[in-house]
Amino acid sequence: MAHPKRRQSKTRTLKRRTHDKAVAPTLAKCANCGAFHIYHTVCPSCGYYRGKLAVVKEEVAE
């Protein structure tokens, strides 16, 4: 294994870690119901994907 000869500075360590961050998912607006959903996924509120019914959603009686 590699054995460092010198200690890495805080600046160098932070430069390496600049890309390690959480990214918010890109949202799209459903053409059927208008709710927001994640790209390339079925709409969780109505069950449509790209204008076609993909998942049959059942009504919840309260």
Side-chain angles (χ1 to χ4, degrees), residues 25-48:
T26 308
L27 297 178
K29 201 169 190 178
C30 179
N32 187 48
C33 67
F36 285 100
H37 63 92
I38 301 171
Y39 262 41
H40 305 292
T41 57
V42 176
C43 179
S45 55
C46 68
Y48 274 72

Side-chain angles (χ1 to χ4, degrees), residues 7-27:
R7 179 177 180 221
Q8 268 192 346
S9 67
K10 294 175 190 171
T11 305
R12 189 176 180 95
T13 304
L14 292 174
K15 278 183 187 177
R16 188 182 67 246
R17 293 180 181 163
T18 57
H19 303 289
D20 299 341
K21 59 187 174 193
V23 179
T26 308
L27 297 178

